[in-house]
Amino acid sequence: MKLFIYHTPELTPSDTTPDCAIAVDVLRATSTIATVLASGGEAVQAFSDLDQLIAVSEKWPPEKRLRAGERGGAKVAGFELGNSPLDCTREVVQGRRLFISTTNGTRALQKIQHSPSVITAALINRGAVVRYLLDKQPETVWIVGSGWEGSFSLEDTVCAGAIAHSLVENCPISPVELAGNDEVIGAIALYSQWQNDLLGLFHQASHGQRLLRLKSQEDLKYCAQVDILDVLPIQQEPGVLKSQ
């Protein structure tokens, strides 16, 4: 297995696709996706364009759909939900499809949606992602961070590092053997430095600070937890994720 980490969707190669692609947007899209599916949501369908989301979701009965929209960290007007995983309780999402569009995370999914295997990862479901990789042993794996509006983000990189760190711990391979690019070594180092204070790292991250200004401290606490959900969101058709 060769692992490649790309900090933003824009940095991924355009002339090839991996055997397995993993989208990461810890704050907060992929944390929300994992939470919805763990809480009994039928599926999550991701869109980068709000108008397209509305058009597709209109074809679903109101009682079977939820619209979640976020721009700049704030909820889109007229949508039932923003991008807080804490709003996605079983009472709200069970049996319903979540139609979601966010500033960064849905762009990452769209960028990799034609890979043979597409999954989403956050810290809260890191263990399920690692088990999938160890079981399937894909030859090439990309972890694609969402970043923030095209730039590097600490929280997505530390999640990528958490996945890589666990892979090294659970199979007979060194970081150098696993790493397809230097970003893997950097991400492992970041996770090793902060693994016991991920919330502290989030407080230093620019998007973490943005969410603190929006009074989303509880979201940060939730998203900084590791391995609390045994759920693997996996793409069934382009843009549509279900729990395996």
PDB file of all heavy atoms in Angstrom, residues 132-154:
ATOM      1  N   TYR A 132     -10.883  -0.783   7.237  1.00  0.00           N
ATOM      2  CA  TYR A 132     -11.227  -0.970   5.824  1.00  0.00           C
ATOM      3  C   TYR A 132      -9.959  -1.059   4.971  1.00  0.00           C
ATOM      4  O   TYR A 132      -9.831  -1.940   4.107  1.00  0.00           O
ATOM      5  CB  TYR A 132     -12.111   0.190   5.356  1.00  0.00           C
ATOM      6  CG  TYR A 132     -12.450   0.160   3.886  1.00  0.00           C
ATOM      7  CD1 TYR A 132     -13.508  -0.610   3.411  1.00  0.00           C
ATOM      8  CD2 TYR A 132     -11.730   0.926   2.967  1.00  0.00           C
ATOM      9  CE1 TYR A 132     -13.830  -0.644   2.063  1.00  0.00           C
ATOM     10  CE2 TYR A 132     -12.043   0.899   1.617  1.00  0.00           C
ATOM     11  CZ  TYR A 132     -13.094   0.115   1.170  1.00  0.00           C
ATOM     12  OH  TYR A 132     -13.407   0.084  -0.173  1.00  0.00           O
ATOM     13  N   LEU A 133      -9.014  -0.165   5.212  1.00  0.00           N
ATOM     14  CA  LEU A 133      -7.775  -0.172   4.437  1.00  0.00           C
ATOM     15  C   LEU A 133      -6.958  -1.428   4.691  1.00  0.00           C
ATOM     16  O   LEU A 133      -6.391  -2.018   3.758  1.00  0.00           O
ATOM     17  CB  LEU A 133      -6.946   1.069   4.768  1.00  0.00           C
ATOM     18  CG  LEU A 133      -7.553   2.415   4.357  1.00  0.00           C
ATOM     19  CD1 LEU A 133      -6.684   3.567   4.848  1.00  0.00           C
ATOM     20  CD2 LEU A 133      -7.750   2.506   2.848  1.00  0.00           C
ATOM     21  N   LEU A 134      -6.901  -1.865   5.929  1.00  0.00           N
ATOM     22  CA  LEU A 134      -6.152  -3.080   6.246  1.00  0.00           C
ATOM     23  C   LEU A 134      -6.813  -4.310   5.646  1.00  0.00           C
ATOM     24  O   LEU A 134      -6.134  -5.259   5.234  1.00  0.00           O
ATOM     25  CB  LEU A 134      -6.020  -3.227   7.765  1.00  0.00           C
ATOM     26  CG  LEU A 134      -5.148  -2.177   8.472  1.00  0.00           C
ATOM     27  CD1 LEU A 134      -5.231  -2.354   9.988  1.00  0.00           C
ATOM     28  CD2 LEU A 134      -3.698  -2.260   8.003  1.00  0.00           C
ATOM     29  N   ASP A 135      -8.142  -4.300   5.558  1.00  0.00           N
ATOM     30  CA  ASP A 135      -8.874  -5.440   5.002  1.00  0.00           C
ATOM     31  C   ASP A 135      -8.768  -5.477   3.477  1.00  0.00           C
ATOM     32  O   ASP A 135      -8.500  -6.524   2.883  1.00  0.00           O
ATOM     33  CB  ASP A 135     -10.347  -5.363   5.423  1.00  0.00           C
ATOM     34  CG  ASP A 135     -11.176  -6.491   4.838  1.00  0.00           C
ATOM     35  OD1 ASP A 135     -10.757  -7.663   4.955  1.00  0.00           O
ATOM     36  OD2 ASP A 135     -12.250  -6.210   4.260  1.00  0.00           O
ATOM     37  N   LYS A 136      -8.941  -4.335   2.841  1.00  0.00           N
ATOM     38  CA  LYS A 136      -8.977  -4.288   1.371  1.00  0.00           C
ATOM     39  C   LYS A 136      -7.590  -4.185   0.742  1.00  0.00           C
ATOM     40  O   LYS A 136      -7.409  -4.583  -0.413  1.00  0.00           O
ATOM     41  CB  LYS A 136      -9.836  -3.111   0.906  1.00  0.00           C
ATOM     42  CG  LYS A 136     -11.279  -3.162   1.375  1.00  0.00           C
ATOM     43  CD  LYS A 136     -12.012  -4.363   0.815  1.00  0.00           C
ATOM     44  CE  LYS A 136     -13.476  -4.367   1.220  1.00  0.00           C
ATOM     45  NZ  LYS A 136     -14.192  -5.577   0.747  1.00  0.00           N
ATOM     46  N   GLN A 137      -6.645  -3.630   1.472  1.00  0.00           N
ATOM     47  CA  GLN A 137      -5.265  -3.477   0.983  1.00  0.00           C
ATOM     48  C   GLN A 137      -5.197  -2.849  -0.414  1.00  0.00           C
ATOM     49  O   GLN A 137      -4.589  -3.416  -1.338  1.00  0.00           O
ATOM     50  CB  GLN A 137      -4.548  -4.830   0.988  1.00  0.00           C
ATOM     51  CG  GLN A 137      -4.215  -5.346   2.377  1.00  0.00           C
ATOM     52  CD  GLN A 137      -3.101  -4.563   3.055  1.00  0.00           C
ATOM     53  OE1 GLN A 137      -2.133  -4.155   2.427  1.00  0.00           O
ATOM     54  NE2 GLN A 137      -3.251  -4.346   4.359  1.00  0.00           N
ATOM     55  N   PRO A 138      -5.814  -1.685  -0.618  1.00  0.00           N
ATOM     56  CA  PRO A 138      -5.689  -1.031  -1.921  1.00  0.00           C
ATOM     57  C   PRO A 138      -4.232  -0.655  -2.198  1.00  0.00           C
ATOM     58  O   PRO A 138      -3.483  -0.312  -1.280  1.00  0.00           O
ATOM     59  CB  PRO A 138      -6.556   0.223  -1.774  1.00  0.00           C
ATOM     60  CG  PRO A 138      -6.625   0.469  -0.296  1.00  0.00           C
ATOM     61  CD  PRO A 138      -6.576  -0.873   0.352  1.00  0.00           C
ATOM     62  N   GLU A 139      -3.851  -0.737  -3.456  1.00  0.00           N
ATOM     63  CA  GLU A 139      -2.450  -0.483  -3.800  1.00  0.00           C
ATOM     64  C   GLU A 139      -2.075   0.986  -3.621  1.00  0.00           C
ATOM     65  O   GLU A 139      -0.997   1.311  -3.116  1.00  0.00           O
ATOM     66  CB  GLU A 139      -2.186  -0.930  -5.244  1.00  0.00           C
ATOM     67  CG  GLU A 139      -0.710  -0.919  -5.617  1.00  0.00           C
ATOM     68  CD  GLU A 139      -0.455  -1.561  -6.968  1.00  0.00           C
ATOM     69  OE1 GLU A 139      -1.205  -2.486  -7.351  1.00  0.00           O
ATOM     70  OE2 GLU A 139       0.492  -1.131  -7.651  1.00  0.00           O
ATOM     71  N   THR A 140      -2.962   1.869  -4.065  1.00  0.00           N
ATOM     72  CA  THR A 140      -2.721   3.306  -3.891  1.00  0.00           C
ATOM     73  C   THR A 140      -3.907   3.938  -3.168  1.00  0.00           C
ATOM     74  O   THR A 140      -5.069   3.654  -3.490  1.00  0.00           O
ATOM     75  CB  THR A 140      -2.517   4.024  -5.239  1.00  0.00           C
ATOM     76  OG1 THR A 140      -3.649   3.772  -6.081  1.00  0.00           O
ATOM     77  CG2 THR A 140      -1.249   3.560  -5.917  1.00  0.00           C
ATOM     78  N   VAL A 141      -3.599   4.777  -2.199  1.00  0.00           N
ATOM     79  CA  VAL A 141      -4.624   5.464  -1.398  1.00  0.00           C
ATOM     80  C   VAL A 141      -4.308   6.948  -1.377  1.00  0.00           C
ATOM     81  O   VAL A 141      -3.168   7.348  -1.108  1.00  0.00           O
ATOM     82  CB  VAL A 141      -4.650   4.928   0.052  1.00  0.00           C
ATOM     83  CG1 VAL A 141      -5.714   5.654   0.871  1.00  0.00           C
ATOM     84  CG2 VAL A 141      -4.881   3.423   0.074  1.00  0.00           C
ATOM     85  N   TRP A 142      -5.305   7.759  -1.659  1.00  0.00           N
ATOM     86  CA  TRP A 142      -5.184   9.202  -1.483  1.00  0.00           C
ATOM     87  C   TRP A 142      -6.040   9.621  -0.290  1.00  0.00           C
ATOM     88  O   TRP A 142      -7.207   9.211  -0.195  1.00  0.00           O
ATOM     89  CB  TRP A 142      -5.711   9.974  -2.687  1.00  0.00           C
ATOM     90  CG  TRP A 142      -4.934   9.861  -3.936  1.00  0.00           C
ATOM     91  CD1 TRP A 142      -3.792   9.135  -4.172  1.00  0.00           C
ATOM     92  CD2 TRP A 142      -5.256  10.503  -5.179  1.00  0.00           C
ATOM     93  NE1 TRP A 142      -3.390   9.276  -5.467  1.00  0.00           N
ATOM     94  CE2 TRP A 142      -4.253  10.112  -6.117  1.00  0.00           C
ATOM     95  CE3 TRP A 142      -6.267  11.353  -5.591  1.00  0.00           C
ATOM     96  CZ2 TRP A 142      -4.272  10.560  -7.438  1.00  0.00           C
ATOM     97  CZ3 TRP A 142      -6.288  11.799  -6.900  1.00  0.00           C
ATOM     98  CH2 TRP A 142      -5.293  11.415  -7.814  1.00  0.00           C
ATOM     99  N   ILE A 143      -5.471  10.416   0.583  1.00  0.00           N
ATOM    100  CA  ILE A 143      -6.273  11.128   1.572  1.00  0.00           C
ATOM    101  C   ILE A 143      -6.283  12.584   1.144  1.00  0.00           C
ATOM    102  O   ILE A 143      -5.226  13.219   1.041  1.00  0.00           O
ATOM    103  CB  ILE A 143      -5.698  10.993   2.994  1.00  0.00           C
ATOM    104  CG1 ILE A 143      -5.630   9.521   3.414  1.00  0.00           C
ATOM    105  CG2 ILE A 143      -6.554  11.787   3.981  1.00  0.00           C
ATOM    106  CD1 ILE A 143      -5.050   9.313   4.814  1.00  0.00           C
ATOM    107  N   VAL A 144      -7.482  13.084   0.867  1.00  0.00           N
ATOM    108  CA  VAL A 144      -7.615  14.443   0.338  1.00  0.00           C
ATOM    109  C   VAL A 144      -8.276  15.327   1.388  1.00  0.00           C
ATOM    110  O   VAL A 144      -9.452  15.163   1.722  1.00  0.00           O
ATOM    111  CB  VAL A 144      -8.441  14.454  -0.966  1.00  0.00           C
ATOM    112  CG1 VAL A 144      -8.537  15.870  -1.524  1.00  0.00           C
ATOM    113  CG2 VAL A 144      -7.805  13.520  -1.997  1.00  0.00           C
ATOM    114  N   GLY A 145      -7.502  16.245   1.925  1.00  0.00           N
ATOM    115  CA  GLY A 145      -8.047  17.207   2.866  1.00  0.00           C
ATOM    116  C   GLY A 145      -8.867  18.259   2.149  1.00  0.00           C
ATOM    117  O   GLY A 145      -8.621  18.565   0.977  1.00  0.00           O
ATOM    118  N   SER A 146      -9.838  18.811   2.844  1.00  0.00           N
ATOM    119  CA  SER A 146     -10.666  19.852   2.245  1.00  0.00           C
ATOM    120  C   SER A 146     -10.027  21.220   2.373  1.00  0.00           C
ATOM    121  O   SER A 146     -10.240  22.091   1.534  1.00  0.00           O
ATOM    122  CB  SER A 146     -12.049  19.858   2.905  1.00  0.00           C
ATOM    123  OG  SER A 146     -12.678  18.623   2.704  1.00  0.00           O
ATOM    124  N   GLY A 147      -9.226  21.389   3.442  1.00  0.00           N
ATOM    125  CA  GLY A 147      -8.609  22.688   3.658  1.00  0.00           C
ATOM    126  C   GLY A 147      -9.659  23.757   3.915  1.00  0.00           C
ATOM    127  O   GLY A 147     -10.803  23.467   4.267  1.00  0.00           O
ATOM    128  N   TRP A 148      -9.251  24.992   3.732  1.00  0.00           N
ATOM    129  CA  TRP A 148     -10.202  26.103   3.848  1.00  0.00           C
ATOM    130  C   TRP A 148     -10.010  27.018   2.650  1.00  0.00           C
ATOM    131  O   TRP A 148      -8.998  27.684   2.515  1.00  0.00           O
ATOM    132  CB  TRP A 148     -10.007  26.887   5.146  1.00  0.00           C
ATOM    133  CG  TRP A 148     -10.941  28.064   5.225  1.00  0.00           C
ATOM    134  CD1 TRP A 148     -10.651  29.363   4.924  1.00  0.00           C
ATOM    135  CD2 TRP A 148     -12.331  28.029   5.541  1.00  0.00           C
ATOM    136  NE1 TRP A 148     -11.779  30.139   5.047  1.00  0.00           N
ATOM    137  CE2 TRP A 148     -12.821  29.350   5.431  1.00  0.00           C
ATOM    138  CE3 TRP A 148     -13.218  27.008   5.907  1.00  0.00           C
ATOM    139  CZ2 TRP A 148     -14.156  29.674   5.676  1.00  0.00           C
ATOM    140  CZ3 TRP A 148     -14.544  27.338   6.153  1.00  0.00           C
ATOM    141  CH2 TRP A 148     -15.002  28.650   6.045  1.00  0.00           C
ATOM    142  N   GLU A 149     -11.002  26.981   1.725  1.00  0.00           N
ATOM    143  CA  GLU A 149     -10.984  27.818   0.535  1.00  0.00           C
ATOM    144  C   GLU A 149      -9.655  27.725  -0.208  1.00  0.00           C
ATOM    145  O   GLU A 149      -9.052  28.721  -0.601  1.00  0.00           O
ATOM    146  CB  GLU A 149     -11.340  29.259   0.901  1.00  0.00           C
ATOM    147  CG  GLU A 149     -12.761  29.369   1.462  1.00  0.00           C
ATOM    148  CD  GLU A 149     -13.185  30.799   1.757  1.00  0.00           C
ATOM    149  OE1 GLU A 149     -12.300  31.686   1.819  1.00  0.00           O
ATOM    150  OE2 GLU A 149     -14.389  31.027   1.919  1.00  0.00           O
ATOM    151  N   GLY A 150      -9.177  26.493  -0.355  1.00  0.00           N
ATOM    152  CA  GLY A 150      -7.992  26.239  -1.155  1.00  0.00           C
ATOM    153  C   GLY A 150      -6.675  26.250  -0.410  1.00  0.00           C
ATOM    154  O   GLY A 150      -5.622  26.051  -1.028  1.00  0.00           O
ATOM    155  N   SER A 151      -6.699  26.444   0.895  1.00  0.00           N
ATOM    156  CA  SER A 151      -5.440  26.483   1.647  1.00  0.00           C
ATOM    157  C   SER A 151      -5.388  25.379   2.692  1.00  0.00           C
ATOM    158  O   SER A 151      -6.401  24.808   3.086  1.00  0.00           O
ATOM    159  CB  SER A 151      -5.250  27.855   2.313  1.00  0.00           C
ATOM    160  OG  SER A 151      -6.283  28.103   3.241  1.00  0.00           O
ATOM    161  N   PHE A 152      -4.183  25.082   3.157  1.00  0.00           N
ATOM    162  CA  PHE A 152      -3.873  24.043   4.142  1.00  0.00           C
ATOM    163  C   PHE A 152      -4.685  24.218   5.425  1.00  0.00           C
ATOM    164  O   PHE A 152      -4.916  25.342   5.871  1.00  0.00           O
ATOM    165  CB  PHE A 152      -2.371  24.158   4.437  1.00  0.00           C
ATOM    166  CG  PHE A 152      -1.865  23.304   5.569  1.00  0.00           C
ATOM    167  CD1 PHE A 152      -1.359  22.048   5.331  1.00  0.00           C
ATOM    168  CD2 PHE A 152      -1.882  23.775   6.878  1.00  0.00           C
ATOM    169  CE1 PHE A 152      -0.870  21.268   6.370  1.00  0.00           C
ATOM    170  CE2 PHE A 152      -1.389  23.009   7.923  1.00  0.00           C
ATOM    171  CZ  PHE A 152      -0.889  21.757   7.661  1.00  0.00           C
ATOM    172  N   SER A 153      -5.085  23.106   6.033  1.00  0.00           N
ATOM    173  CA  SER A 153      -5.735  23.178   7.347  1.00  0.00           C
ATOM    174  C   SER A 153      -5.110  22.158   8.294  1.00  0.00           C
ATOM    175  O   SER A 153      -4.843  21.020   7.915  1.00  0.00           O
ATOM    176  CB  SER A 153      -7.245  22.950   7.239  1.00  0.00           C
ATOM    177  OG  SER A 153      -7.542  21.601   6.969  1.00  0.00           O
ATOM    178  N   LEU A 154      -4.885  22.586   9.519  1.00  0.00           N
ATOM    179  CA  LEU A 154      -4.292  21.715  10.536  1.00  0.00           C
ATOM    180  C   LEU A 154      -5.180  20.514  10.846  1.00  0.00           C
ATOM    181  O   LEU A 154      -4.693  19.389  11.002  1.00  0.00           O
ATOM    182  CB  LEU A 154      -4.046  22.514  11.824  1.00  0.00           C
ATOM    183  CG  LEU A 154      -2.851  23.461  11.839  1.00  0.00           C
ATOM    184  CD1 LEU A 154      -2.912  24.353  13.063  1.00  0.00           C
ATOM    185  CD2 LEU A 154      -1.538  22.681  11.815  1.00  0.00           C
TER     186      LEU A 154
END
